[in-house]
Amino acid sequence: MTTELFIQYLVAGITYGSIYAIVAIGFNIIYNTTGIINFAQGEFVMLGGMLSITFLQYLPLPPAIFLAVLVTMGIGALIEMLFIRWLQNPGILRMIIITIGVSILIREAALHVWGSDVRSLPYFFGNEISSIAISGARVSPQVLWVVGTCGLMVVALNIFFQATSIGREMRACAANRIAAVLCGIDTRNMVTLSFVLSAGIGALAGAVMSPITYTQYDIGTGLAIKGFTVAILGGLGNSLGAVAGGLLLGVIEAFSVSVVPLAFQDAIAIAILLVILFVRPHGLFGSSAMAGLKEF
Amino acid sequence: MTILQVEQLGKRFGGLQAVDDVSFSLRQGAIKAVIGPNGAGKTTLFNLIAGMLEPTTGEISFQGKAIQGMRPFRVAGLGIARTFQNIKMFAGMTALENVMVGRHVRSKAGFLASMFRTSGCRREEKAIRVKSLEFLDFLGIADCADTLATNLAFGQQRAVELARALALEPALLLLDEPAAGLNIYETAEIGRLIVRIRELGITVLLVEHDMSLVMDISDEIVVLSFGRKIAEDIPTVVQRDPEVIKVYLGE
């Protein structure tokens, strides 16, 4: 393999990997506050892309994306308030099945609204053929947008959880819900907020990746599977683990193309998921003792 | 002045009457203990007052306001804090952060202000930090502020939990077996602390098994047995009550 080709694969891997990481972090945020896996996470990414494309007909690009993110956040809040909030002591399994139902609902609604066409946002700078050179390899400037935006989101989320009172209260709610309630925190609002945050980061990732990966009504399922693999890989609930896991899966997928046919790319993600679930169900960076304390 | 009034309170779990027709009142600024053998309904009583359980019958009024069946985060917002027999720390957070969460009901920064780190919000965050450190200092564990709470010694974790409850600036503090798992020395220390907490103007209701601690610090004692109140008086009288002696020592 030439150096150029190596870098080409590496950059592609990092690009897809950072998208997987964002989906996985979306899983983690909701998992941490509720203990459930929200399988509609991939749909948030699809909505971010689709809504941006629609709003672009009436608005310039930045406000179109901004509005799409806001609307998706609203949809996230709505999902929580309609389907999760009023449940009395719901079982984990019941809530997970609800999120699968919601994901089907959103997908079908998207099919009705946007049809089954493959769409995409225009490149933020330049076009399909413009490229920049990195050590001899040619990559699209959009790649930098994807990686940069995902990186910024990770940093911003970290600041939010570590240095703001609401972030701290969300962590408290995740660590011990009863103690959080007795500190006067309305944990239901924290759950809503976790859906809003997850929807927001998913939608933003969906918008910036759209020019490279394209957007279709049913891309959510595939992304949810990849994101879930990454979340498990990094250890459920561990956001930095998700970043590492995302990049790892992205790079493995990219390099696998040089060994096996492209069509097997998804099979590789599923194979990794199965291996991890069999061998280290608590993830590469989690500890089995901690995992034993969790409900799911 | 009465701060807490419990009126004919009852809680039934299926066939078990855990709390049965219990009435008592709590004077502002007092330290009152609830004692009784295991399964007497002490913790259930606490859970009813804190809003974690809804009573089957009866009423609870706090500062003249009916609070039975109110959601627990609202009860906390009114100024009732509680600690647990089994310490409930926020894992993955430092001692200081644990206490800072306790300031929740005393802070008001909204989500947007928090996200954009407005100057008002930053000032409030700083005030929360300073105030929380004061509470840690009050309990003598300020030097543990930046240690992960779950890495602290058992006695220190109990102090952090107490600091977190105090951070709420409650009018009423419910302590569920504050001396459980502590040695004689630490128990005496927690006794002195509870008296100092009362000096801050906080009314204390505690469940405790350590009789020397209870007799030492309480102004009044309520004795429960099988969910019913069998005695209520000052420590020296309760100690000599024949029915209390019967319940504790057998016939």
Side-chain angles (χ1 to χ4, degrees):
Chain A
M1 193 184 291
T2 62
T3 324
E4 287 78 22
L5 198 58
F6 178 84
I7 290 169
Q8 205 86 49
Y9 281 139
L10 191 66
V11 170
I14 291 172
T15 310
Y16 279 86
S18 45
I19 295 164
Y20 299 157
I22 290 298
V23 178
I25 290 172
F27 276 123
N28 284 338
I29 292 172
I30 292 180
Y31 174 78
N32 277 339
T33 51
T34 60
I36 65 170
I37 306 291
N38 167 34
F39 279 102
Q41 190 61 40
E43 270 61 42
F44 292 148
V45 180
M46 180 271 291
L47 284 173
M50 283 297 194
L51 287 169
S52 302
I53 294 162
T54 301
F55 293 145
L56 191 61
Q57 294 168 5
Y58 313 99
L59 294 166
L61 187 63
I65 292 178
F66 182 72
L67 192 59
V69 170
L70 277 188
V71 171
T72 311
M73 284 168 120
I75 292 172
L78 215 60
I79 289 172
E80 196 279 333
M81 290 191 276
L82 285 179
F83 298 106
I84 308 281
R85 178 176 271 252
W86 55 271
L87 295 177
Q88 299 281 344
N89 303 318
I92 300 280
L93 195 62
R94 186 164 153 217
M95 290 204 282
I96 290 174
I97 290 171
I98 288 173
T99 68
I100 294 175
V102 168
S103 77
I104 296 171
L105 206 69
I106 296 177
R107 209 151 52 234
E108 292 304 311
L111 179 60
H112 279 283
V113 175
W114 290 294
S116 56
D117 302 347
V118 176
R119 294 152 191 255
S120 88
L121 282 176
Y123 280 70
F124 292 6
F125 283 122
N127 52 41
E128 290 85 344
I129 51 161
S130 57
S131 66
I132 45 172
I134 300 177
S135 319
R138 316 288 308 173
V139 300
S140 158
Q142 191 66 27
V143 160
L144 298 183
W145 274 101
V146 174
V147 176
T149 309
C150 293
L152 269 179
M153 280 195 274
V154 171
V155 172
L157 279 174
N158 254 310
I159 294 174
F160 171 72
F161 281 115
Q162 298 300 328
T164 70
S165 53
I166 293 185
R168 190 168 55 234
E169 282 154 15
M170 282 184 79
R171 275 157 65 215
C173 180
N176 195 321
R177 189 184 279 238
I178 293 174
V181 166
L182 290 167
C183 286
I185 297 168
D186 186 351
T187 50
R188 294 175 310 173
N189 288 347
M190 294 293 157
V191 173
T192 312
L193 187 56
S194 71
F195 272 81
V196 170
L197 269 183
S198 290
I201 61 169
L204 187 54
V208 290
M209 70 181 231
S210 170
I212 321 182
T213 64
Y214 304 116
T215 313
Q216 203 180 356
Y217 78 100
D218 64 353
I219 58 162
T221 318
L223 280 170
I225 291 171
K226 300 283 175 64
F228 182 62
T229 306
V230 166
I232 296 281
L233 200 61
L236 263 181
N238 177 350
S239 286
L240 286 179
V243 173
L247 295 179
L248 193 63
L249 180 65
V251 169
I252 290 175
E253 268 190 7
F255 279 99
S256 74
V257 176
S258 64
V259 190
V260 294
L262 184 65
F264 286 101
Q265 219 176 25
D266 289 344
I268 284 167
I270 307 272
I272 291 174
L273 175 62
L274 288 177
V275 169
I276 288 288
L277 284 175
F278 281 130
V279 183
R280 281 185 72 89
H282 45 276
L284 293 179
F285 312 103
S287 77
S288 54
M290 279 293 281
L293 295 173
K294 289 178 176 163
E295 288 180 75
F296 177 76
Chain B
M1 201 187 91
T2 303
I3 185 166
L4 182 78
Q5 180 90 39
V6 174
E7 206 77 64
Q8 296 178 321
L9 197 64
K11 177 67 190 177
R12 175 176 278 281
F13 296 108
L16 176 75
Q17 189 74 36
V19 171
D20 189 2
D21 197 28
V22 170
S23 303
F24 67 90
S25 65
L26 186 52
R27 196 164 34 81
Q28 171 106 45
I31 297 178
K32 191 160 198 156
V34 181
I35 65 169
N38 281 326
K42 304 177 300 272
T43 299
T44 306
L45 178 67
F46 262 34
N47 285 338
L48 289 169
I49 296 171
M52 296 168 75
L53 287 174
E54 205 167 327
T56 323
T57 55
E59 279 172 24
I60 305 165
S61 72
F62 174 68
Q63 294 177 327
K65 193 172 176 179
I67 59 163
Q68 72 273 9
M70 199 182 259
R71 301 179 67 90
F73 73 91
R74 293 213 188 286
V75 174
L78 289 177
I80 300 183
R82 82 166 278 186
T83 65
F84 294 89
Q85 181 184 348
N86 315 313
I87 299 170
K88 295 192 193 300
M89 287 284 101
F90 296 131
M93 296 170 74
T94 65
L96 181 62
E97 285 178 319
N98 263 274
V99 180
M100 287 168 82
V101 173
R103 294 294 295 168
H104 171 80
V105 298
R106 300 285 158 216
S107 52
K108 50 191 176 304
F111 177 65
L112 285 178
S114 224
M115 276 316 259
F116 295 105
R117 321 265 304 134
T118 59
S119 69
C121 166
R122 276 204 305 273
R123 223 176 306 121
E124 183 173 47
E125 181 74 7
K126 204 172 163 205
I128 290 174
R129 182 173 290 273
V130 169
K131 199 83 186 155
S132 301
L133 268 171
E134 280 175 28
F135 285 110
L136 283 174
D137 193 41
F138 177 77
L139 294 174
I141 46 165
D143 50 336
C144 304
D146 294 323
T147 312
L148 276 181
T150 41
N151 288 351
L152 291 171
F154 186 75
Q156 291 171 320
Q157 289 195 27
R158 179 142 279 158
V160 172
E161 200 186 30
L162 205 49
R164 190 174 70 196
L166 289 176
L168 211 126
E169 291 181 29
L172 172 63
L173 181 59
L174 307 174
L175 301 175
D176 194 352
E177 300 205 26
L182 301 185
N183 61 34
I184 308 171
Y185 176 77
E186 291 168 324
T187 302
E189 181 62 37
I190 211 103
R192 280 193 290 278
L193 261 176
I194 294 171
V195 173
R196 278 176 64 206
I197 287 169
R198 184 248 298 271
E199 283 162 8
L200 295 175
I202 298 170
T203 311
V204 178
L205 185 66
L206 76 152
V207 162
E208 184 52 64
H209 276 299
D210 188 311
M211 280 309 134
S212 61
L213 175 68
V214 168
M215 297 300 162
D216 249 16
I217 63 169
S218 329
D219 300 312
E220 282 180 309
I221 298 176
V222 172
V223 189
L224 296 182
S225 174
F226 292 109
R228 300 189 71 93
K229 183 176 93 175
I230 59 168
E232 179 181 12
D233 218 315
I234 56 170
T236 46
V237 176
V238 166
Q239 258 173 326
R240 272 175 280 143
D241 187 301
E243 193 161 2
V244 175
I245 294 170
K246 195 174 86 184
V247 161
Y248 267 90
L249 300 175
E251 300 203 47

